Amino acid sequence: MVDTMALLLPFIRGPRTARTAPPTSGPLADDEVLLDAPDARLGPALVAAARGDHEPAAALLAATRAAGEWEHRDRYTARLAAFAHARPEWFDSWRSAAPRDPDGLLVDAQLRVDRAWLSPARAELLREVSPLVTAAAHGDDRDPVPWRIALDHARGSQAGPKYVEELWEAAMRRAPHHYGCHVAALRYLASSWHGSHLECLDFADRAAQDAPADSLVQALPVRAVFAYLTDGCGPELPRAQLDAAADRAAALSALLPAADPWPAELRNLLTYVLVRLERTPDALEQLRLTGPYATSFPWDRFSDDPLGHCLRVRAELRTPSGRPISGHLGRVRSGDH
């Protein structure tokens, strides 16, 4: 088991497997906390990829496409692309074996967009990626995930609002409550309306009101609040709106399994927002529900060591004084993608 887990670093840190852990009411030791732990479906695909075998990853994405599991497909695509960036051999083998595979095209589009974002020549590289994003969108007409990638691509290439509106409408025809597309749209609005956090929060609120109670879109307002809390520009937003966004995300969190990798990012983000709003008991409840699962977002927006940053916040949140965290919640860093 140690050797198998070692193959997944830096995607997992810690001694446990990616199985769902039982909820705990007590504090966890630092070495019990996992960073970006994959769920039970993604974990074996990553292990196989680390050994050079692409077939489990291909089968996983094909299954999500067949079942229309668009939220899982989106998250798995992003994780597999990140792994391919660090360990490309298995992915190169996949693309060579099946160059027209819609799932391989999807991961390739995500990988190329991610690489372009890291380059000073971002806009030029994103233009070169456009045909691949288009090819991914033609892979399965039901799939909204290529349109989420296209929205990210449009933001990076500074596309105009009319073009982005067309992408948005295409995405919504396929999956009107797809969280990833909503996050991509929110990021575009934030970059276009820098400092206009009220407009971004209004967009997020309207989307959440239209979505089912168990949809991840219920967490969109708290994403908008996060942007506001870490931006430091624009007019002050009413405290009631900030609390309402946090309450909406907390209600969603209560519907999802405790101590599970799937909702961990939502709960890490909500913990940050609740701490900033000085709602310590509510933040502690999110820590209980999160269990051992830390996620890079939002902590990588403040530190090159997201796990260490998360652990410091967790520790200070549990201090006897209950006065959390003066020095560990800072401004978001540039280069967000």
Side-chain angles (χ1 to χ4, degrees), residues 33 57 105 214 233-234 309:
V33 177
L105 282 169
D214 60 351
C233 74
H309 195 93

Side-chain angles (χ1 to χ4, degrees), residues 39-236:
D39 64 20
R41 298 170 71 187
L42 179 61
L46 290 175
V47 171
R51 293 172 172 163
D53 181 5
H54 67 270
E55 291 186 0
L60 174 62
L61 284 190
T64 62
R65 179 163 49 86
E69 296 177 305
W70 307 127
E71 302 292 2
H72 285 85
R73 181 173 177 80
D74 200 352
R75 188 171 298 186
Y76 294 157
T77 295
R79 292 294 301 274
L80 289 169
F83 198 73
H85 180 77
R87 299 282 296 271
E89 298 84 2
W90 67 277
F91 186 63
D92 293 342
S93 174
W94 182 2
R95 296 292 287 128
S96 296
R100 297 184 179 179
D101 179 6
D103 307 308
L105 282 169
L106 185 67
V107 176
D108 205 359
Q110 179 72 70
L111 174 60
R112 301 290 183 88
V113 169
D114 289 347
R115 283 177 175 167
W117 272 87
L118 298 175
S119 171
R122 176 190 299 172
E124 179 181 350
L125 291 176
L126 285 172
R127 283 194 294 272
E128 294 174 2
V129 174
S130 292
L132 184 57
V133 177
T134 300
H138 290 158
D140 188 320
D141 192 55
R142 304 170 303 149
D143 187 0
V145 181
W147 299 94
R148 191 270 302 158
I149 296 173
L151 286 164
D152 286 337
H153 179 277
R155 176 167 56 96
S157 56
Q158 299 180 332
K162 182 178 180 181
Y163 175 66
V164 172
E165 184 176 353
E166 292 173 356
L167 296 178
W168 171 250
E169 290 175 353
M172 293 300 96
R173 285 196 300 270
R174 289 157 174 81
H177 305 303
H178 183 250
Y179 179 61
C181 288
H182 279 81
V183 171
L186 184 66
R187 286 172 166 171
Y188 179 84
L189 294 176
S191 65
S192 300
W193 300 343
H194 184 57
S196 299
H197 295 292
L198 181 59
E199 286 84 352
C200 290
L201 185 54
D202 284 347
F203 165 80
D205 281 338
R206 289 194 302 271
Q209 289 165 12
D210 291 341
D214 60 351
S215 168
L216 286 175
V217 175
Q218 297 297 331
L220 196 67
V222 92
R223 291 286 300 238
V225 170
F226 171 80
Y228 164 71
L229 292 174
T230 56
D231 189 16
C233 74
E236 185 174 349

